[in-house]
Every structure is written in structure tokens, then in C-alpha cells.
Amino acid sequence: MSAPILTVSGLRRHFVQTKGFPRPVTTTVRAVDGVDFSIRPGEAFGLVGESGCGKSTAARALLRLIEPDDGEIRFAGQDVRAASGRDLVALRRRMQIIFQDPYSSLNPRRTIGRTLMEPLEVHGVARGEAARARSIALLEEVGLPPAAMGRYPHEFSGGQRQRIGIARALALEPELIVADEPVSALDVSVQAQVLLLLKDLQRRRGLAFLFVSHDLGVISWFCSRVAVMYLGRIVEQGPVAQVFATPRHPYTAMLRDASPIPDPSRRGILPRVIGEIPSAAAPPPGCHFHPRCPKATEICRTTYPEWNDAGGHGAACHHPEGG
Amino acid sequence: MKALLRNPTTAIGAIMCALIVAAALLAPWLAPFDPVDQNILDRMQPPGGDFLLGSDVFGRDVLSRILWGARISLVVAVTSIALAIVIGGAIGMVSGYIGGKFDLLVMQVMDVLLSFPALILGLIVVALLGAEIHNLIIAITLTAIAPFARIARAPVLSLKERAFVEAGRALGFSHARVLFVHILPNILSEVLVMGSLWMATAVRTEASLSFIGLGVKPPTPTWGGMMRDGFDSILDAPWLSVFPGIAILMLVLGLNMVGDGLRDATDPKLSGS
């Protein structure tokens, strides 16, 4: 087992908002509230959770697209939070991001060629004809013809745009790609193509992935390890097969049971999901999950459970399944 | 561009503006007389005859003065609006991009500037600095900075949340690059449309300041100044005020028509092209 390429520990990002007059009320949204995980080179690591659990914020915070408030991020041994100026630019070359919405991720007024060549030129990787040739190669790698170079984003479909976004992310030959819900804005048939492309790229280029999604199916197909987030914290983490086959945290079990199985013979009654996800501005005391948890007891209402790591498949629960 | 001129209103406006620009450029050749040449014997001639649009109290040809006056109006309007676009646009873009308290402060200052009626602000500046053409330009620029800051800021606020801006940051682009290379082209059409509409306002402000005697000094011909000069004898010699008035009307109307056309042309499918 090689050393991790990315280590995140105690990552924290709170959004503070003061609103109201004449008596302003300050609310603190604990979007990311102490998250730890690590990703090994070439590994696909999934981050899964409901809407609003902070998974996208966590992903952006580790690229410093949103400044984290606290915690440590180490990329290949380098302190990401301490980097500035030239160091930060150099770090950014090695970690790239793919966005959820292919319609807003490309500048509508620039041709695809300019979009792809610009990062090469800014970083001094290639200029002029060389940059052009590399961009065409990138397009080819994501399955688009060289003719796309002269076109504008609005001439492409959502799936094609997502491929262009992927090509742009690959332009600087990063080692880690943060994929923020890369397929959830696409049609199911296009989703499959884009996922296959990502898988192929991962294999061919040895890319490490942080794959953020709310889709357990996509995560379990794409990733080897997964972390489940709930209200800004990771509640369970481990190898994908284990986490989804034998979840230790009741929340993971609930998520798994709520996702439909495409097999009529196994059609059953979906378990009732109790309650809504609470607001991250006012998380419940004790274990954040206790108001929705079927196994909650007195201790869950008062104390946040310690992380217990059982051989790489850990959970933060007072009453984990299977010990 | 073709689609733009297919709209008859816009086409008419464009023709009106083109005529005035041509008149200003060709004034030395088109004007039958020297615009400042006085000829007491021929004073207060009605239109027709030697003087196509009549002559004024000093016997100067009204047509020649209108043709030469077009230069002042256009130079003042174009220069001051161009300056306002650059200065106001930059203020608005940077303010919107940085956001937070800085944005709040800058926009409050702009609101203060905006609260002065254009004419009053122009009056203050010209009264302080003196009635010279460059002071007139400064005055009108000042009145137009705040609206352009507002116009430039609004789209920046929404664009900076778009993923392509975030992608630029993730790719290691500098803030200046993101703002001026990526965001600027996306707001340019909105700002330019506003520019053509404000050009009309600038023409009016210039004419108004000249009318109240704070414009370019006589004997240099300006449309507003000519109207004022003719105002004393409006009942005896209405052509003295009416013709420069028509010239102002044509330019302002033409600019507004073009501006409206541009706005309609860029509005509906902005995200597309």
C-alpha cells in the first residue's frame, strides 16, 4: 500500500451569516465540520451523502476554491493551506476539478480551442501550434473530433460539454481529479458514457479521484473506497463493497435501502425514511443522526460518538452493526 | 449586424446618426460659410436665399454653425461616454468581483454620485474648473461613471458564481485574468448598449450646459449655445433656435433608436452566441 497522495484531516468550513434589523441574528452553518480522509495515488475515493451534507463544500475546500477555516490538507506531502502565490499555482496544476453543471462550466464566449489552450499557455506548458496539437489530442482522448476546436459551447450537448470539461481538467496532467457530481446533470445513457470515459482515463493515466455524488450506484461502480457524509461529518468510511454490503452506521444502511434496485423480482417495500435532514445551522445535540435513527438511545442524544475504526472500515456510531 | 438593421426603427436611427457623423467630419467642405465669420450687413436673414437656414444676429450662417457644432457635440459625447465606460466599468467590475464590505462601500459612493442630477453635477464641475471643452468632458464623464459602474457590476455578480470562473481559478489563473479575460467579454454587450443610450444623455447634458452659458465659450459654435443665442429673438427669428434644436433632437433620437435596437438584439439569446 503506497503513501496517500492526499490527506485531509480536521477539515472545517463554517459559513457565518448575519441578517436582520434592528436585531441582527448570526447563524453559523457548519457545512464541513471536521472531515478526515485520505486518497492513495490512482485510487477512486467516493464521498456520498444527501443534498446539503457538505460534500461539495469539502471538495472545493481542499482545492481552496472555498477557503477552509481549519484543518490540514496535504497533497503529496505539501501543505495545501499554507501554499500561496507560485506554490499554490503549481499545486493547482496537480489537482483539477470537474463540475456538475456542464452548462455553466464553460465560458460561453470562448471557443473550445481557446478554453483548452489557455491553461497550457498560462502555465507555459505549450504555446501556439504545440498548444493546439495538445488540445486536439485532449479532445480525441475524451472522444471529440478536432473540429470541435473552433466551436462555441452552445453548439454542444450536455454530455459533450462534460467531456470538454474533462479535457480541460486533464490539460495540465493532474494527479488528482475532484469530480463534483460529474454525471448527475446528465441523461442516464450519457451518464454511462461519461462514467466509462472517466474510468478509462483513471486506468490509463493512473489518476486519483475524489468522486462526489449522491448516487450510491455510481459510487459503488466507480470507487474502491467510500466515505459517507452526514451534516458536515463523515459517519462511515471503508471499502465500497463492505460499506454498502454490511454497513456499520444506521445512516448508511438507510441510504442503501432507499436506493432502488432495478429488479422487479426483488421489489419490496421501501423502508420509511424518518424525518428530514436537519439544518446544518442547528445540528441536533449528540449524534447528529439520532432524531432519524431507529437504534438511538439515551447516549446518542447527548454525546457525539467516537470514531471506531475496525480494520479500515470505520464508523462514528454508539451502536454500530456487527460490533 | 444585418438582423440589427432589418429593424426599421434601428435602421432609421443608424441613418440619422450616420448623417450627423458625416456632417461633422465633412463640415469644412460642406459648410457654405465660415461658422464664426461675422457679416453685420446680412444679419437676421430668414431661411432661404443665400443662407439656407438663415443667419443670426451677427450675420453668421446658421447651417455652417450647425455643421461645425456637430463636431463639438459628438466629440464631447463620445469622449465622455468612452471615459465613463472605462472608469465606471472598471470600478463596477472590480467592486462586484471582490464583493463584501468593499463592494458595499464603493456602491454607496456611486449612489451618492448618482443622486446628483446630471445637470447639477455638470454645473458644479464647470463652474469650478471653467467653461472649457475638456472640463465639459470631465463633467459629463463624472455624471456617467456611477450608472456604468452599476451596469457593469450586476452581471459580474452573477457571472462570478458560474462554474467556468471557478474552473479558471482551479486552473491557476490570476484574478485579473479571470476578471478581464473571462468575465469582461460576457458583460461587454450590455455595457455597450448602455453606452449608446447614455451617449444621447451626454449630448443633452452638453447642450443644456451650453444653453445656460456653461458650455464651450463663444464664438465656437455649439448647438446648445446657438439655441440660447436665438432664444432672445425666438418670436422674430425662430429659425435661430429651431434648427439647432432639430439637430439635437435628431442626434438624441437617433442614438436612442440605435441603443434600443442594440439592446433588443443582444437581450434574448445572450447565453447563446
Side-chain angles (χ1 to χ4, degrees):
Chain A
M1 203 177 282
S2 50
I5 186 165
L6 179 83
T7 318
V8 174
S9 52
L11 188 69
R12 205 176 300 276
R13 172 68 211 217
H14 295 174
F15 294 102
V16 182
Q17 195 174 39
T18 307
K19 246 188 186 170
F21 185 84
R23 244 165 282 137
V25 179
T26 303
T27 40
T28 306
V29 176
R30 297 154 182 270
V32 179
D33 199 21
V35 160
D36 316 277
F37 61 89
S38 62
I39 303 174
R40 288 187 290 272
E43 180 188 40
F45 185 83
L47 199 56
V48 71
E50 282 170 281
S51 305
C53 72
K55 53 194 193 298
S56 286
T57 308
R60 281 172 167 69
L62 70 89
L63 291 173
R64 287 191 47 197
L65 291 173
I66 295 173
E67 279 304 326
D69 295 329
D70 198 13
E72 193 184 46
I73 308 161
R74 282 195 171 274
F75 182 83
Q78 218 178 329
D79 188 345
V80 175
R81 282 193 67 205
S84 65
R86 207 178 283 270
D87 289 344
L88 184 61
V89 170
L91 263 175
R92 283 192 160 145
R93 259 184 85 164
R94 305 172 66 185
M95 319 191 257
Q96 281 300 312
I97 179 164
I98 300 171
F99 296 95
Q100 173 174 11
D101 180 6
Y103 290 91
S104 85
S105 65
L106 300 172
N107 189 338
R109 301 226 170 235
R110 315 205 97 201
T111 60
I112 305 312
R114 283 177 73 192
T115 294
L116 292 179
M117 282 157 71
E118 189 178 17
L120 299 173
E121 285 169 355
V122 166
H123 286 271
V125 177
R127 275 183 195 287
E129 269 313 304
R132 224 187 138 65
R134 277 184 83 136
S135 305
I136 290 172
L138 283 168
L139 282 175
E140 219 162 295
E141 198 169 354
V142 298
L144 288 171
M149 290 285 284
R151 303 237 179 98
Y152 285 92
H154 72 269
E155 299 174 56
F156 295 92
S157 70
Q160 288 171 321
R161 288 184 196 213
Q162 200 59 305
R163 287 167 187 271
I164 296 163
I166 293 166
R168 176 179 59 188
L170 293 176
L172 297 172
E173 304 190 333
E175 291 144 74
L176 171 76
I177 286 200
V178 174
D180 183 18
E181 305 254 14
V183 294
S184 45
L186 307 174
D187 289 343
V188 177
S189 58
V190 182
Q191 277 193 11
Q193 295 170 8
V194 171
L195 281 172
L196 283 169
L197 169 68
L198 288 174
K199 193 85 176 170
D200 188 40
L201 289 170
Q202 187 206 2
R203 216 172 289 142
R204 206 153 9 118
R205 291 191 171 223
L207 288 167
F209 267 89
L210 175 67
F211 198 102
V212 177
S213 180
H214 59 260
D215 188 331
L216 300 193
V218 168
I219 291 267
S220 59
W221 183 78
F222 194 84
C223 303
S224 53
R225 282 194 310 134
V226 65
V228 180
M229 264 184 94
Y230 187 76
L231 274 190
R233 294 188 186 181
I234 289 177
V235 294
E236 179 161 0
Q237 187 175 159
V240 161
Q242 281 183 37
V243 169
F244 292 142
T246 55
R248 297 186 64 208
H249 197 284
Y251 177 62
T252 315
M254 193 177 97
L255 273 188
R256 181 198 57 181
D257 296 341
S259 58
I261 302 154
D263 179 356
S265 66
R266 290 171 65 191
R267 183 186 293 160
I269 303 156
L270 284 177
R272 268 186 74 94
V273 177
I274 324 155
E276 284 286 314
I277 185 165
S279 160
C287 173
H288 292 168
F289 187 60
H290 83 257
R292 301 168 79 185
C293 183
K295 299 169 79 181
T297 56
E298 202 44 55
I299 186 169
C300 303
R301 282 178 254 283
T302 53
T303 324
Y304 194 87
E306 294 265 317
W307 183 259
N308 76 63
D309 196 273
H313 177 187
C317 183
H318 291 298
H319 313 289
E321 298 283 348
Chain B
M1 192 65 194
K2 250 187 206 154
L4 189 65
L5 292 180
R6 210 170 290 144
N7 179 346
T9 319
T10 318
I12 293 170
I15 291 169
M16 284 160 68
C17 293
L19 280 177
I20 291 168
V21 171
L25 287 175
L26 301 175
W29 296 278
L30 285 180
F33 295 92
D34 187 318
V36 292
D37 200 17
Q38 301 189 7
N39 187 350
I40 299 300
L41 293 176
D42 284 328
R43 62 191 295 269
M44 301 292 252
Q45 294 285 324
D50 274 353
F51 304 97
L52 204 57
L53 299 181
S55 66
D56 67 5
V57 272
F58 301 109
R60 296 176 299 197
D61 180 38
V62 171
L63 175 62
S64 303
R65 287 179 67 74
I66 287 179
L67 290 174
W68 281 92
R71 294 191 152 193
I72 304 281
S73 290
L74 285 176
V75 165
V76 170
V78 170
T79 322
S80 54
I81 295 306
L83 281 172
I85 287 178
V86 172
I87 301 171
I91 292 175
M93 282 179 71
V94 171
S95 175
Y97 187 74
I98 293 175
K101 291 229 164 66
F102 177 79
D103 182 39
L104 199 70
L105 190 77
V106 171
M107 283 301 133
Q108 295 287 328
V109 173
M110 289 297 126
D111 281 344
V112 170
L113 215 52
L114 208 56
S115 67
F116 284 103
L119 196 57
I120 305 286
L121 197 62
L123 222 143
I124 297 171
V125 174
V126 176
L128 284 176
L129 301 178
E132 300 282 346
I133 188 163
H134 54 262
N135 292 337
L136 213 57
I137 290 171
I138 293 174
I140 296 172
T141 303
L142 269 180
T143 66
I145 283 178
F148 281 104
R150 283 224 161 272
I151 277 291
R153 172 180 172 265
V156 170
L157 287 183
S158 77
L159 282 166
K160 74 171 181 179
E161 304 295 334
R162 298 276 289 270
F164 73 80
V165 169
E166 225 178 354
R169 294 297 300 150
L171 287 164
F173 299 166
S174 66
H175 285 297
R177 181 175 198 83
V178 168
L179 189 54
F180 292 107
V181 178
H182 289 262
I183 293 182
L184 180 62
N186 284 291
I187 71 163
L188 209 56
S189 62
E190 283 163 69
V191 173
L192 290 182
V193 167
M194 186 75 174
S196 62
L197 291 172
W198 266 83
M199 204 98 85
T201 310
V203 171
R204 272 195 299 121
T205 310
E206 186 269 332
S208 310
L209 285 172
S210 296
F211 185 79
I212 56 175
L214 286 170
V216 180
K217 282 200 192 95
T220 313
T222 63
W223 294 349
M226 289 170 72
M227 279 183 79
R228 201 254 326 248
D229 292 343
F231 196 63
D232 300 329
S233 44
I234 191 146
L235 291 178
D236 314 320
W239 62 88
L240 293 182
S241 308
V242 168
F243 290 121
I246 290 173
I248 295 171
L249 180 78
M250 262 183 72
L251 183 54
V252 171
L253 194 65
L255 285 169
N256 272 320
M257 282 154 90
V258 171
D260 281 346
L262 278 174
R263 191 184 51 205
D264 293 348
T266 50
D267 224 13
K269 221 179 138 268
L270 229 177
S271 57
S273 50

